[in-house]
Amino acid sequence: MPDRIDITIIGAGIIGLAVAAEVSGNRRQVFVLEQNERFGMETSSRSSEVLHSGIYYPPDSLKAITCVRGNALIYERCRKYGIGYTQPGKLIVATNKNEIGRLEWLFQRGINNGVKKLKLLSAREVKNIEPNVEAAAAIYSPSTGIVDSYALMGYFLTHAREKGADFVYRSEVTAIDKTASGYLVTVADDSGYSSFKTAVVINCAGLESDCVAAMSGVHIDEYGYKIHYRKGEYFSVAREKCRLIGRLIYPLPETDDTGLGVHTNLNLEGKMRLGPNSIYVNEIDYTVDETHREAFAQSVKKFLPFIEADDLDPDTAGIRPTLQKAGGGFRDFIIAEESGKGLPGLINLVGIESPGLTSAPAIAEMVSDMVSEIL
Ligand SMILES: Cc1cc2nc3c(=O)[nH]c(=O)nc-3n(C[C@H](O)[C@H](O)[C@H](O)COP(=O)(O)OP(=O)(O)OC[C@H]3O[C@@H](n4cnc5c(N)ncnc54)[C@H](O)[C@@H]3O)c2cc1C
């Protein structure tokens, strides 16, 4: 490892990879340090792979701004570089007349966020396009799609490498100390501990991003950087039922901002899953609790009456790195250059939960602007 590096990125999930692709080049020496043996082995390979359109988030929030921009950027790159995707669109359904007011409110929020081509559909219009779905009304979002997230990560990795970035796996960052002109980063790998100097540190450590921020000297409780783990489980749906819908079908989101409600997921092969649910947990544990099968079936029955508990099998689970405490209100992404905390050249990305996959290239652009101010 060279004695001094310009930019050190911690974490090779979708965010670290997208950031590396954006900030590399210009003769900068960029290192990406990842504790696992490959890229994308944590949250980024456990998502629904949905390219969200940006309807849900409060206007002017980082989630709304980066989601709307990221959605357009990812489609553009998928077309240009042959990354697998489909764009089936999505329906968010009101399951009875009492929910229509909230549906209309959400529709207006989407319009205010700049989501294009949204439409409000009547019950009859829903039946015309999705005969197996029950709804009193729905929002149709044609820009919602599905991406091959592994291929997207592979694209960012290749692009970053072509621009000169180096990826170092099985290397866990264990300490970050401020120096007069940057940071001294300590890494644990197979051969023990070693340290190097870097001008810029970019924290893309996902579920551990609060620990990495704390390592670098940020008081995470004081600044509200503490991550809470919120688990999401999936159940796969029996093959013969998978073709009964052609679009992603979602209920109205939870009123307390803790999730989008158990919904359908379609992958690029047309396999249908239900999920993710939303459960605060203390440990990282990716097992799926089989006893949740009945609750999954019941939660979608109102709009997908053809689903029976017997159709469902436990599938995967993921853990959201969320800033919102159980019972707390909406929290936005933290994307911060920390000069204001006496830590110039440190960029923290904390709480990058959904729509983090969609937002990744737009977050990377924001980070690149911050880096340009420093280097
Ligand atoms: C169930 C679920 C469903 C989701 N569905 C969607 C969706 O459909 N659409 C969407 O847009 N978003 C979705 N998301 C959100 C999206 O998956 C995340 O926002 C995104 O993957 C976060 O990427 P990341 O790179 O920040 O984190 P990660 O992928 O977790 O990457 C962080 C990396 O940092 C590494 N690391 C941590 N600490 C250290 C250290 N000290 N030293 C070295 N390396 C370190 C880790 O090993 C890891 O590889 C979903 C999330 C979940 C949990």
Side-chain angles (χ1 to χ4, degrees), residues 328-357:
F330 171 83
R331 289 289 309 272
D332 206 355
F333 293 151
I334 292 172
I335 305 174
E337 198 281 328
E338 304 289 16
S339 291
K341 298 185 182 68
L343 298 165
L346 170 67
I347 298 173
N348 276 316
L349 304 183
V350 185
I352 312 296
E353 56 176 335
S354 189
L357 167 70

Side-chain angles (χ1 to χ4, degrees), residues 10-16 33-36 42-44 46-50 52 171-173 204-206 208 212 232 234 276 318-320 352-358:
I10 305 169
I14 187 85
I15 301 296
L33 300 171
E34 168 55 56
Q35 64 191 358
N36 293 320
E42 302 207 351
T43 307
S44 298
R46 295 179 166 275
S47 84
S48 303
E49 302 191 297
V50 173
H52 289 296
S171 298
E172 182 192 353
V173 172
C204 305
E208 286 158 60
V212 170
Y234 295 89
I319 307 222
R320 306 164 180 93
I352 312 296
E353 56 176 335
S354 189
L357 167 70
T358 313

Side-chain angles (χ1 to χ4, degrees), residues 168-246:
V168 188
Y169 296 109
R170 298 161 73 103
S171 298
E172 182 192 353
V173 172
T174 56
I176 304 170
D177 295 295
K178 174 96 191 66
T179 64
S181 58
Y183 295 87
L184 185 71
V185 174
T186 303
V187 174
D189 60 19
D190 293 344
S191 49
Y193 288 88
S194 56
S195 299
F196 63 90
K197 289 181 191 151
T198 179
V200 174
V201 174
I202 308 176
N203 168 11
C204 305
L207 290 166
E208 286 158 60
S209 52
D210 57 345
C211 303
V212 170
M215 236 181 243
S216 57
V218 174
H219 297 287
I220 59 170
D221 290 325
E222 185 182 335
Y223 290 106
Y225 280 31
K226 175 103 188 77
I227 292 280
H228 306 275
Y229 295 160
R230 197 153 50 81
K231 185 169 178 177
E233 299 168 310
Y234 295 89
F235 279 77
S236 60
V237 177
R239 187 188 295 260
E240 62 275 15
K241 302 258 169 112
C242 292
R243 298 209 179 277
L244 294 178
I245 53 165

